[in-house]
């Protein structure tokens, strides 16, 4: 990737040169960028995968809504936990529901159009971002690692509680109470593992370690990949708040 000229100092110049040099060097026009990890991708079957992802998101928010201990928290803390934890909880839901997906290369925008519109007015909306192949492969690696754990429904439930009640989020008013809830969930998970997997003494630590990788997945990637085709330009954060506080029925 470091030797690829398409990611040089002046990208517009490189693109313009590529366009103008096609007549001078016809063979070069057929060469493809070797930086395939930087290529943008999209879901191969968005109508199927987006529906499955939406179902998982609904279940994720329902899990939070149905926890009495969550409702005892100040609303400000509820919103902070929602904003910080919805992605790892959603990804854990994808694992539990065995949601798999494939991606395909997204059609590249017209290079000439990008050059001609490089001086577009400030009022014009920017083009939507697309996930890169490297980012999606990292996400799939995290999910595949979790599938190898083969968690039971109770393990999922206690792990979700340990992820949701994160006392390290800045700005929490009831951080001590949230810390006690996390400790309670972790203890319940550990006690569950002892009779289920007596031969695997390191399973508890391994589960928490793998769970920590889910927190490294950026919300923008999840939004652009699974929900942007459905919600368009709607703010995902506002949508999550509406889902959390909507009246039953």
């Amino acid at each position: 990737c470091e030797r690829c000229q398409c990611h040089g100092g002046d990208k517009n110049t490189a693109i313009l040169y590529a366009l103008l040099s096609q007549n001078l060097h016809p063979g070069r026009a057929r060469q493809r960028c070797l930086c395939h990890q930087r290529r943008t991708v999209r879901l191969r079957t968005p109508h199927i995968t987006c529906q499955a992802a939406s179902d998982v998101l609904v279940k994720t928010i329902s899990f939070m809504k149905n926890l009495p201990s969550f409702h005892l928290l100040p609303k400000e803390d509820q919103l902070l936990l929602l904003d910080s934890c919805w992605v790892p909880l959603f990804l854990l839901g994808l694992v539990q529901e065995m949601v798999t997906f494939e991606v395909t290369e997204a059609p590249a925008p017209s290079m000439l159009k990008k050059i001609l519109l490089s001086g577009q007015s400030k009022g014009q909306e920017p083009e939507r971002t697309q996930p890169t192949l490297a980012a999606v492969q990292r996400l799939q690696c995290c999910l595949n690692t979790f599938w190898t754990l083969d968690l039971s429904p109770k393990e999922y439930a206690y792990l979700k509680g340990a992820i949701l009640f994160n006392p390290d989020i800045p700005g929490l008013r009831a951080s001590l109470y949230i810390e006690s809830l996390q400790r309670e969930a972790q203890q319940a998970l550990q006690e569950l593992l002892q009779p289920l997997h007596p031969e695997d003494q390191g399973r508890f630590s391994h589960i928490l370690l793998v769970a920590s990788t889910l927190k490294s997945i950026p919300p923008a990637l999840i939004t652009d990949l699974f929900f942007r085709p459905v919600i368009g330009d709607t703010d995902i954060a506002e949508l999550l708040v509406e889902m959390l506080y909507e009246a039953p029925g």
Side-chain angles (χ1 to χ4, degrees), residues 113-183:
K113 178 182 177 181
K114 292 177 65 176
I115 295 172
L116 296 178
L117 297 181
S118 60
Q120 61 183 340
S121 61
K122 296 182 179 179
Q124 187 171 351
E125 294 184 0
E127 295 185 2
R128 294 178 185 173
T129 58
Q130 291 280 358
T132 63
L133 179 59
V136 172
Q137 287 179 336
R138 181 186 179 192
L139 167 60
Q140 290 178 322
C141 181
C142 291
L143 298 180
N144 290 336
T145 303
F146 240 112
W147 274 315
T148 62
L149 296 176
D150 192 22
L151 300 181
S152 67
K154 285 188 176 181
E155 286 176 292
Y156 276 113
Y158 293 141
L159 182 57
K160 288 178 182 179
I163 291 176
L164 172 61
F165 296 115
N166 180 10
D168 299 325
I169 299 174
L172 291 174
R173 295 174 54 188
S175 57
L176 293 179
Y177 176 59
I178 293 173
E179 182 178 9
S180 67
L181 293 174
Q182 184 186 64
R183 187 166 52 249

Side-chain angles (χ1 to χ4, degrees), residues 13-29:
T13 302
I15 295 173
L16 183 58
Y17 173 80
L19 290 173
L20 298 179
S21 63
Q22 289 182 9
N23 294 331
L24 298 176
H25 307 283
R28 293 185 182 179

Side-chain angles (χ1 to χ4, degrees), residues 57-82:
L57 184 63
V58 170
K59 291 181 180 179
T60 299
I61 301 301
S62 296
F63 167 78
M64 301 172 66
K65 294 173 65 173
N66 293 330
L67 288 176
S69 53
F70 182 80
H71 288 286
L72 293 177
L73 297 172
K75 186 175 182 179
E76 296 83 355
D77 287 4
Q78 295 179 21
L79 295 175
L80 287 173
L81 293 178
L82 172 67

